[in-house]
Amino acid sequence: MLRLADIRHQFPKRLAQCADYIEENIENITIATVAETAAGAGVSPSAMMRFAQAMGFEGYSDMQRLFRASIKRELPDYSTRLKHLQEAGAGSPSAMLAEFVEAGRRSLETLTNTVDPRTLDVSVEQLATADCIHIMGLRRAFPVATYMSYAFEKMKIPAILHQNTGGLGFANSLRPDDAAIAITFAPYSPETLDFIARASEDGLPTAVVTDKRAALPSGGNIMPILVSEVDFGAFRSLSATLTIAISLAVSIGTRREALR
């Protein structure tokens, strides 16, 4: 961003538009395609490519990788988080438990305000009628994806958990009458974002449990279910996320039974 500030005055109008948009939408740039970023800036994709080259990158993808790395560096690693808690005198295990209980309580209280009931209704309706539900969530979101897969299995609902084990995915298993569920939070998993984009491009109804709508690829069949987790010492539990996950799974199961 310092280089951008240094050379911005040299840019012609279109490249200046690119600079202004990127400065205000850094998180979006990390996952958006060049066409989506260009549309947001009000310029052509070729102008966005010229902007990336003017900034010293070979192309848009190289610039995107830098922003992704920058956002990851802004998050403290786990050793730093533990050190800060120790310095703050976090207290005994029982005191730690009380703090996380309070964080979970606050997360659950805000859940009804962040989730759009209409989006939830549409998600359940479209997922309930799917032949198979594809689920993906990596890193912190993996327990949630696994939990949903377990619930669907017990309810005898066809589902595939996309784990990316060994770098192997199930992208070619997506079928026209299927649907998808993805779970991802900042800093967003590139593999999960690719999964969302692929499912959306294939026309599958895709429910995404996430913290920001703007972080998602564009697509009329993407249904964002927004969840905000309150943290303690930069550690976030999955209280609200697991609650929406089981609510979604059971709602889908109930609706499928009603449609029989």
Side-chain angles (χ1 to χ4, degrees), residues 6-25:
D6 287 341
I7 67 173
R8 188 193 179 287
H9 67 280
Q10 303 173 13
F11 291 151
K13 180 182 177 181
R14 295 302 183 196
L15 298 194
Q17 284 179 234
C18 295
D20 291 342
Y21 180 78
I22 286 175
E23 279 186 316
E24 296 173 4
N25 298 274

Side-chain angles (χ1 to χ4, degrees), residues 119-171:
T119 302
L120 194 59
D121 289 345
V122 171
S123 298
V124 169
E125 192 66 29
Q126 297 202 34
L127 290 162
T129 57
D131 286 351
C132 180
I133 299 175
H134 300 263
I135 312 164
M136 188 167 192
L138 300 178
R139 299 201 284 266
R140 187 168 70 96
F142 184 67
V144 185
T146 306
Y147 185 41
M148 295 193 79
S149 178
Y150 170 81
F152 287 139
E153 176 65 22
K154 289 298 182 181
M155 290 186 285
K156 296 182 172 57
I157 297 173
I160 296 176
L161 177 63
H162 294 239
Q163 304 178 49
N164 207 38
T165 303
L168 300 174
F170 296 92

